[in-house]
Amino acid sequence: MVDTQAKLGGSLVERMGPARLARLIATARAHGKPFGLAGALQLRDLPALRELNPAFAGFRSAVCEGARSGSLVPARLKAVRDGLAADRTAFCEAIAE
């Protein structure tokens, strides 16, 4: 799994870029390894994550109230779930809520 240490400089997708992440994922897959992404991931990263299709993705600040240590927000969890779903319509509706 690739993660960011500092959470204040943007998401992993913003910091590394989709092309670089795609190369890392392809290398891991070529060696039969699952590959995950985390690091200040936000709802705006979901289209890139859908395209990259990692084995797993870690979200915390995107699904918590206030700080990363805040309570989980069910509506945000649903938005992430729907955003990663195959149905793009569900993703658009979740973001609109």
Side-chain angles (χ1 to χ4, degrees), residues 21-53:
L21 292 170
R23 287 191 301 272
L24 288 170
I25 291 169
T27 300
R29 286 185 179 144
H31 289 86
K33 303 293 181 188
F35 197 89
L37 302 173
L41 297 176
Q42 299 295 318
L43 292 176
R44 66 180 171 268
D45 296 315
L46 290 173
L49 292 171
R50 284 173 49 99
E51 186 72 27
L52 291 166
N53 196 26

Side-chain angles (χ1 to χ4, degrees), residues 10-79:
S11 74
L12 178 69
V13 173
E14 294 167 335
R15 293 172 113 178
M16 292 188 68
R20 188 172 178 195
L21 292 170
R23 287 191 301 272
L24 288 170
I25 291 169
T27 300
R29 286 185 179 144
H31 289 86
K33 303 293 181 188
F35 197 89
L37 302 173
L41 297 176
Q42 299 295 318
L43 292 176
R44 66 180 171 268
D45 296 315
L46 290 173
L49 292 171
R50 284 173 49 99
E51 186 72 27
L52 291 166
N53 196 26
F56 54 92
F59 293 86
R60 185 169 20 175
S61 55
V63 297
C64 290
E65 185 174 335
R68 297 164 29 87
S69 60
S71 300
L72 292 175
V73 178
R76 292 181 186 177
L77 289 167
K78 181 183 182 309

